[in-house]
Amino acid sequence: MEKQTITIYDVAREANVSMATVSRVVNGNPNVKPTTRKKVLEVIDRLDYRPNAVARGLASKKTTTVGVIVPDVTNLFFASLARGIDDIATMYKYNIILANSDQNESKEIQVLNTLLAKQVDGIIYMGNKITDELRAEFSRSKTPVVLAGTVDPDQQVGSVNIDYIAATETIISKLIENNNKKIAFISTALANPINGQYRLKGYKNALLSAGIPFDESLVFETAATVAAGEELAQEMIEKDVKGAYVSDDELAIGLLNGMINAGVNVPEDFEIFTSNNSKITEMARPQLSSIMLPLYDIGAVAMRLLTKIMNKEEIDEKTITLPYKIAYRGTTTKED
Amino acid sequence: MEKQTITIYDVAREANVSMATVSRVVNGNPNVKPTTRKKVLEVIDRLDYRPNAVARGLASKKTTTVGVIVPDVTNLFFASLARGIDDIATMYKYNIILANSDQNESKEIQVLNTLLAKQVDGIIYMGNKITDELRAEFSRSKTPVVLAGTVDPDQQVGSVNIDYIAATETIISKLIENNNKKIAFISTALANPINGQYRLKGYKNALLSAGIPFDESLVFETAATVAAGEELAQEMIEKDVKGAYVSDDELAIGLLNGMINAGVNVPEDFEIFTSNNSKITEMARPQLSSIMLPLYDIGAVAMRLLTKIMNKEEIDEKTITLPYKIAYRGTTTKED
DNA sequence: ATGAAAGCGCTAACAT
DNA sequence: ATGTTAGCGCTTTCAT
């Protein structure tokens, strides 16, 4: 015998009221006489009634769930953003459907489509580049989208980031000042505008200010893994590079460990600045100096922005730039 | 003018067929003549029709989404499990609603309830202890539940784990053999049966085999953080402890760094074994020796098990024990 | 303050 | 192979 599900209709019958009244009670509508409210609540409790969110979603056209597209939760960078997102989502009574995209374009499109099919009220996207196809899908539905730690050069959708150009310029200048003229720019996906445009721009700006010519051969593109970083160490030594800016923390740890294994003294003979200040930066020995990206906050603010858009509130500015700091730790010499 | 949503009815009208036929085409039902299928698909494409998963969920009583309750995605241990879960979920056309519980009982209960309200087809739970209240909620609905990296001593729900007792016993024996008799057992939440019952049991077993009396004062309970580990270092030195088994990787890195900062040689004068083999174990210097918990696989197998249960397939054994290995790395002396 | 009734967009018998 | 028809459990006018 299947366990019968209790519906709003059952409650209405037992409480001698209409479905509408039960609905009002459940949704906290004030237009209910206290005595009836009490009676209804009593029946709800007695029958152990639980509103069916799917039915509610169909009727109200709101699911109170948002889709979160993330390259890989296993990367602390994204996990931290996701945590910020979920906390704020919970605060505003939303749930998140988390989907890993592996930065894979077709997977992103597919994920986006199932998210839209599931009628999410909004989407938070993290990734590399907003391809044209992706943008087309975004605008095909009117579901609001916010980018977290991801930029859209065209600023068509909301986004939350820091000023990557300024941050990078600052630390590269610091590196030059501490150190010498040969600084590597080590990045994951240069196709990502954050890396290939903004950070690289900051790097070039700093060189320019110091009167150092830009050397293409000091720009490296590789994977966001420890192994990739270790592999790069030898090349640093061969090219007699004295310092490096790295766009990913795992990659930075790999490079750090690779240099140390090769007998190089860090930071005396080689300085490293990394970008995300995820918690692994403090696990490294020496601890990694880093741009202090407010990871959790980027996620949290992105979700907050999304709630406003979903709620059709007035938005002052949909392109949000958060402040950042610099952590001078063990992989750079002078503090400031 | 609101953009009108295209429904199955619109497609039916345009294609001169019934809704049922459109539904059949959309759901890949073979009972459709190829020519009509083609015609319907053409209209679907032309109108840019997207099936509404919420309506489908209400009608079919299946949402193809599963709830995942996790203490904190920001912990690599859980992030790795979550990744395994999501990959298999995607493979079987499910999406996951990810909810952080912070190991907080009331939050767990609340999250579980909203997940059930959203009519998830199944739930994967990760956490500490299955409290009675939680178990009551689990059985209150017939929604299938599988535990990933979490044990239920009563084995009432499905679960995927390794043999924690044997794994711990093995490495403690190794530590004793390498080293000496004073081995600390450092754990997060002893209330978690994995720590307080199984791992501690393995620890005691190993001591017993070696004829070493169990010393309560060598059992430490603390938080799963780097800071907590660093704080513990001094105590290790004062008590003249020569080795430690640690239940969490972040905690282990903290301890490792703390010992090194105190001038202790690792592994020569102090050996460390940690438990989860998350990727940070390879970022540490020296790299952490560890039980090789198949994190991704635990998540993947848990999700696979859940799909079987949701699909009412025959299950051989709902309490699954996966194999594990031991990684002998830099924080222990002899290899084996 | 409460009720009646019409959907929301789809699936799933059941007919034909 | 295709169509008809009830729902699924709820929200939301519109009355009263």
Side-chain angles (χ1 to χ4, degrees), chain B residues 5-51:
Chain B
T5 47
I6 311 293
T7 73
I8 198 171
Y9 181 77
D10 299 314
V11 177
R13 183 173 25 75
E14 289 287 313
N16 285 314
V17 296
S18 69
M19 292 166 57
T21 299
V22 178
S23 177
R24 289 191 186 96
V25 170
V26 168
N27 294 296
N29 184 317
N31 283 18
V32 181
K33 195 163 38 162
T35 51
T36 36
R37 176 187 308 281
K38 184 153 171 290
K39 184 174 55 177
V40 170
L41 286 173
E42 185 273 319
V43 174
I44 285 178
D45 194 51
R46 181 158 55 78
L47 299 188
D48 194 23
Y49 165 71
R50 296 158 180 262

Side-chain angles (χ1 to χ4, degrees), chain A residues 3 48 50 53 64-65 72 83 86 95-96 98 100 102 113 117-118 140 250 257 261 279 285, chain B residues 3 48 50 53 64-65 72 83 86 95-96 98 100 102 113 117-118 140 250 257 261 279 285:
Chain A
K3 190 163 125 197
D48 194 22
R50 297 160 179 258
T64 64
T65 108
D72 181 13
R83 188 61 217 261
D86 187 46
N95 288 105
I96 65 173
L98 199 281
N100 296 91
D102 286 318
N113 279 319
K118 293 207 169 171
R140 200 146 77 96
E250 285 192 35
N257 287 172
N261 289 346
K279 54 187 179 183
R285 294 191 58 82
Chain B
K3 192 163 122 198
D48 194 23
R50 296 158 180 262
T64 65
T65 109
D72 181 13
R83 187 63 216 263
D86 187 46
N95 288 105
I96 64 173
L98 198 282
N100 296 91
D102 285 319
N113 278 318
K118 293 207 168 171
R140 201 146 78 97
E250 285 192 38
N257 287 175
N261 289 346
K279 55 187 178 183
R285 293 190 59 81

Side-chain angles (χ1 to χ4, degrees), chain A residues 159-219:
Chain A
S159 62
V160 181
N161 288 282
I162 67 162
D163 183 341
Y164 300 105
I165 300 179
T168 311
E169 184 169 347
T170 302
I171 61 173
I172 297 293
S173 296
K174 196 62 64 179
L175 244 27
I176 293 173
E177 181 182 310
N178 285 359
N179 205 315
N180 77 11
K181 324 255 174 265
K182 216 152 176 190
I183 313 284
F185 180 89
I186 301 177
S187 174
T188 55
L190 287 168
N192 180 337
I194 292 181
N195 296 324
Q197 292 178 225
Y198 303 165
R199 284 171 169 158
L200 192 54
K201 181 91 180 296
Y203 172 77
K204 287 177 177 171
N205 283 168
L207 293 185
L208 198 62
S209 302
I212 303 171
F214 171 68
D215 179 355
E216 185 78 49
S217 74
L218 293 182
V219 174

Side-chain angles (χ1 to χ4, degrees), chain A residues 31-61:
Chain A
N31 281 19
V32 181
K33 194 163 41 163
T35 52
T36 35
R37 176 187 307 282
K38 184 153 171 290
K39 182 175 58 180
V40 170
L41 286 174
E42 184 271 321
V43 173
I44 285 178
D45 194 51
R46 179 157 56 80
L47 299 188
D48 194 22
Y49 165 71
R50 297 160 179 258
N52 178 324
V54 174
R56 177 183 294 182
L58 182 60
S60 69
K61 296 179 171 298

